[in-house]
Amino acid sequence: MRALATLLALWTCLLSPLASAQDDAAKLIEGVKLFERTGIPGPLAVFGDKAFPIVAAEHSGVRAAIVAGGRIGGGRVVVFGHNGYAGAAAKRPGETALLMKALLEWAAKSKARSLKVGVHAGMFAGLFREAGFEVVELPRGPKPDGVDKLALIGCAPLSLEADEAEWIGDWVASGGGLLCGDTPWGWLQGHRGAQIEARPGQAMLARAGLAYADGYTGATDTSGHIAVGPVAPLVHAARALELLVAIDAGKASASDAELAQAQSSLQLALRWMPDGDVAFREKLEKLVKTREAELVASDARPMRRSDALRRALMGIQVEMLRRLPASKVRAHASAADFPGDVDAQPQAISVELDTALGGWHSTGAYARPGAKIELQLPSEATGRGFALRIGCHTDGLWHHDEWKRVPEITLEVPASEKLTTAANPFGGPVYVVVPEGCTAGRLRVQVRGAVPAPRFLLGETSLEEWRTAQRTRPGPWAEIGSRRLVISVPSSAIRGLDDPEALLRFWDTIVDAQSELVGIPKERSRPERFVADRQISAGYMHSGYPVMTHLDIIDAVVDLPRLETGDGMWGFVHELGHNLQRGEWTFDGTGEVTNNVIGLYSLERCCKLPQGERGHPGVNEPPSLERYLAGGAKFDQWKSDPFLALSMYVQVRDAFGWEPFRKAFASYIPLSRDELPQSDDEKRDAWLVRLSEATGKNLGPFFEAWGVPTSERARKAVERLPEWLPDALKTK
């Protein structure tokens, strides 16, 4: 009860100014329902007492503001999530023009058209001139003379330097009006390695309770975006927190959609608020500390969506921990459960890396939760884009209905100097991340503060070293790998593994076979990766770097006799196939098909499949072709059934073998970007033509029998070849 009383008392401090902000929003959007879309706006975090969302857009399944207002002292601020609203094209028709006019009048505190306004770096000059204002160009740098006579200033906050942000913020506080236009994701693309939250302009906006955030937004209506005001109050982080506190106190309820919106708004605010004296951040951090002992997620006690406040506070806590210096990081209460801890003394661990391969390089070190880890790089590696990573479980789980582990548990920091220090409250395997295309050669690095973990690298670790030393190392997570593929599993899965060399050579044949089919070099720029996790972001497995899968595969992935028969292999080759798919030969309906073609090839090449088996029941006993043909061979049905569609590819393989697929895939490789098919129609046509050329047969009737549409032009391009149709289709 004391904790709850503390929460409610803290929350009371947030409420009083919100009513006036709601009034501002309601007046501004009066008569406005839709706001025209300009480009792809970035989201805005809204969290201040006197801040309010004005226009909302779709953002990661919920809503985020793309236009918002707020106050600094006696002045007013309007922020746009795209700089396109600042240009001459900002004269919008209908309701958009109505809202733009209202925003200008609100910020200027005047309806007069004889105002003198200033533009910093030209921002909003077009809009201001269209409104009839006298525009003054402001110089860069310290506060210029004469600005106190201006009614409005337009600027791009993310481009402001410290002295500019300071004087503009103080000028607004003295009663001025400010319009801000920036596209945060675009700014980041032009400023690699920069941080939005560290920009001086972000600190200025925080005084108004607003912040720019990275990411993209989508339209909420075919015509544009909805104007929100009080209609969607949970876009405001403080209102979101109010709801969650009330639910926790048993004084309110909410739908799943409302809970998702509230948690997203809070996480957006905390992620992008700048460091320093931001009142809302301080309040959130106090709330976290009052409930810290409850912020634990485990397999035995998952944190469910109904735990709304605890979930929100965990999101805030994770962001707080991300910002801590290494010296202040401590072990998280969930870390011992996952990814795990071990009672072992830290050691200095030295390892040689071949930087010709990019991506994560295991060091054979495991960071205990909260341990301070030091990475020592040789001088030739400094300033070349290396990074220190702690943790391999990269999937974010924020969107799941329940969390069986903390949703975000890895850390990666730049390693630009000889010595890099970092600490992860969750611990995890320690990696050096090498940029692709690195030419530093072989480098020896040293990790201090971690405990040794099992590591086997094909071609470098001897079997004797593995059996006598490596596999008994105390770290709870192990890595075995080659230049083709690396596998991360709990150490318990490999303690009894006698011959990782034979196992990895088998996996190499799988990866090489897939490269062979799609026509790429067997030497990859980085190895593929499998990582086993307690919970992943989507599906039973999913592709990517790394391929993520559940813990129930840990025995299968290192069981060579089983793998050689193809038992349990389908998921692995399916996801590896996804990683090799190319858009030019993967059209609508084949996103879960062409990867299976790649997977099927590798199984046939590398495994001793039992008689009559093809690796998956959906291939062994595919959907009824007879029934499909009797139903009219409808393309929509074909597209919706991956194993039905795969049957079409299998028919070609059974008639002609795999060589036509190798030729067809390879034929795309030398094409320039302009020569590659773009639309689905073009992709189907190209596949018909290229597969026909590769088989030496006219496959036009074959595609037609299957109901896969192609153009007359494509069919004419191959009509010189003899027609081919398998017996199973000749009844059509």
Side-chain angles (χ1 to χ4, degrees), residues 584-598:
E584 52 265 30
W585 38 259
T586 301
F587 48 86
D588 187 22
T590 63
E592 294 296 332
V593 177
T594 57
N595 63 313
N596 283 337
V597 172
I598 299 168

Side-chain angles (χ1 to χ4, degrees), residues 25 28-29 35-36 41-44 46 52-57 64-70 77-82 85 99-100 103 179-180 210 212 217 225-229 235:
L28 285 168
I29 66 168
F35 190 65
E36 184 178 322
L44 304 173
V46 184
F52 50 94
I54 300 170
V55 178
I66 59 166
V67 183
V77 180
V78 176
V79 182
F80 295 88
H82 196 285
Y85 291 111
L99 180 55
M100 294 296 285
L103 293 174
L179 264 66
C180 300
L210 301 167
Y212 278 106
T217 65
H225 303 287
I226 61 167
V228 292
V235 172

Side-chain angles (χ1 to χ4, degrees), residues 324-329 371-376 388 390 411-424 448:
L324 286 178
S327 60
K328 293 186 177 181
V329 173
K372 186 172 74 171
I373 303 300
E374 293 181 344
L375 171 65
Q376 181 83 43
L388 167 62
I390 304 175
L411 173 73
E412 185 172 308
V413 298
S416 55
E417 306 294 333
K418 285 187 177 181
L419 184 66
T420 301
T421 302
N424 183 350
R448 295 189 289 269

